Amino acid sequence: MTAENARCIRLAVVQHVMPVGDPEHSRKHLADLVEEHGNADLIVFPEMFIPGYDLNVVTARSSDLAEHARTGPTARLVQDLSQRHDVTIVVGFLERADDGKLCNSLIIAAPGGDLATYRKSHLFPAELQVFEAGHELPVIATPAGILGPQICFEHAFPAIATTQALGGAQILVIPSAVGADHEHLIEVRTRARAQDNQIFAIAANSNSPGFCGHSMVVDPRGRVMAVAGLEDVVLCTTLDLSEIPAERGREPSLRMGRPNLYILGRHADTA
């Protein structure tokens, strides 16, 4: 199955409590979950799943928690698992860039393809002194559909999702670490980003202490297909990609936008 002819995608969204600062444990747990759900086409894990999301720990222990995006132990593991199980894996990790800076990043490993990396481009204020922001909003073709990766706070920027949808993304994958008592942000933003662009949206959120869980899968009409509470769970469902053109036929808002108006409040040629 290729990204071009994929129709029904078997999805698994992981929401499991993970320790902070124990990447070996996290990688072992990731491998066990992929083995258990290896019949899926796409498996999505939360933000910073490997080191755990704690900015103090990340700062103090970056020398042993940060990894290279292509040659680090997480990259090698997910690439091997992806090939052996014929599954696309999206997982959050702490990246050490070639210039030594830290990035809050995702690895996207697809069978038969090269590893892709996404660096969080819109950092939450508390992250600004810890991470280097990314500078791209990619869409990534995989056998499990064309993915538009985002991370957590980027939920809050509708233009990100629209940029990726216009670039061909079929599924927004949004690993997150949304704090406790903010479930409403996951629900409102995930459903809005999906319905705005007639696209699937997957919020894979942490349920570790201090975070709210509530991972969610939303269809192109903005309807919730699957949702978690605060428990350890793997949400399993099937995405029918033919729903995207069908919904866009009913409401062609994405192709009828006027971006010149949105940037300046008027036509660019009148500036």
Side-chain angles (χ1 to χ4, degrees):
M1 181 171 62
T2 67
E4 289 72 22
N5 63 23
R7 284 296 177 266
C8 290
I9 305 300
R10 295 167 297 183
L11 171 67
V13 182
V14 174
Q15 178 182 283
H16 276 216
V17 171
M18 297 305 295
V20 173
D22 191 351
E24 287 299 327
H25 174 92
S26 300
R27 282 189 285 269
K28 173 64 165 59
H29 195 57
L30 179 149
D32 289 343
L33 286 166
V34 173
E35 294 285 345
E36 182 180 351
H37 297 277
N39 63 335
D41 300 304
L42 174 63
I43 302 179
V44 185
F45 292 83
E47 178 182 15
M48 297 282 280
F49 182 82
I50 298 302
Y53 190 101
D54 185 311
L55 297 181
N56 291 327
V57 173
V58 163
T59 301
R61 295 185 49 201
S62 63
S63 60
D64 62 289
L65 296 179
E67 310 177 46
H68 192 277
R70 295 186 176 275
T71 60
T74 299
R76 296 195 304 269
L77 173 65
V78 296
Q79 190 166 43
D80 176 66
L81 290 168
S82 175
Q83 301 301 327
R84 286 197 287 114
H85 293 279
D86 194 30
V87 60
T88 297
I89 301 169
V90 180
V91 61
F93 78 114
L94 177 62
E95 180 187 359
R96 175 79 70 184
D98 290 339
D99 62 5
K101 294 179 179 178
L102 300 177
C103 301
N104 181 344
S105 298
L106 304 177
I107 290 177
I108 300 99
D114 197 7
L115 287 173
T117 305
Y118 174 66
R119 294 174 176 173
K120 190 172 185 177
S121 58
H122 294 62
L123 298 175
F124 193 69
E127 299 174 325
L128 291 171
Q129 301 305 313
V130 179
F131 302 124
E132 177 79 2
H135 301 286
E136 297 181 5
L137 298 176
V139 295
I140 299 168
T142 79
I146 304 173
L147 309 183
Q150 302 178 24
I151 302 176
C152 198
F153 183 53
E154 296 179 323
H155 249 123
F157 298 88
I160 297 176
T162 298
T163 296
Q164 292 176 322
L166 289 171
Q170 298 165 312
I171 306 168
L172 301 177
V173 287
I174 314 170
S176 299
V178 175
D181 301 321
H182 287 79
E183 297 91 339
H184 66 289
L185 292 182
I186 297 178
E187 179 154 4
V188 169
R189 290 171 178 174
T190 307
R191 295 184 70 181
R193 299 301 87 81
Q195 196 281 327
D196 285 348
N197 301 289
Q198 294 91 44
I199 199 171
F200 288 96
I202 302 163
N205 194 48
S206 174
N207 65 327
S208 293
F211 302 100
C212 70
H214 207 67
S215 296
M216 180 177 293
V217 183
V218 179
D219 77 3
R221 301 196 78 178
R223 298 175 298 193
V224 176
M225 301 175 63
V227 63
L230 192 57
E231 74 281 7
D232 277 6
V233 68
V234 179
L235 299 177
C236 295
T237 189
T238 299
L239 313 182
D240 182 354
L241 299 185
S242 68
E243 292 181 21
I244 296 172
E247 184 58 25
R248 288 176 178 172
R250 285 188 286 266
E251 185 183 46
S253 56
L254 187 67
R255 64 179 173 83
M256 295 184 71
R258 300 178 65 190
N260 284 344
L261 294 181
Y262 312 148
I263 296 171
L264 298 174
R266 59 186 186 275
H267 283 298
D269 57 8
T270 68

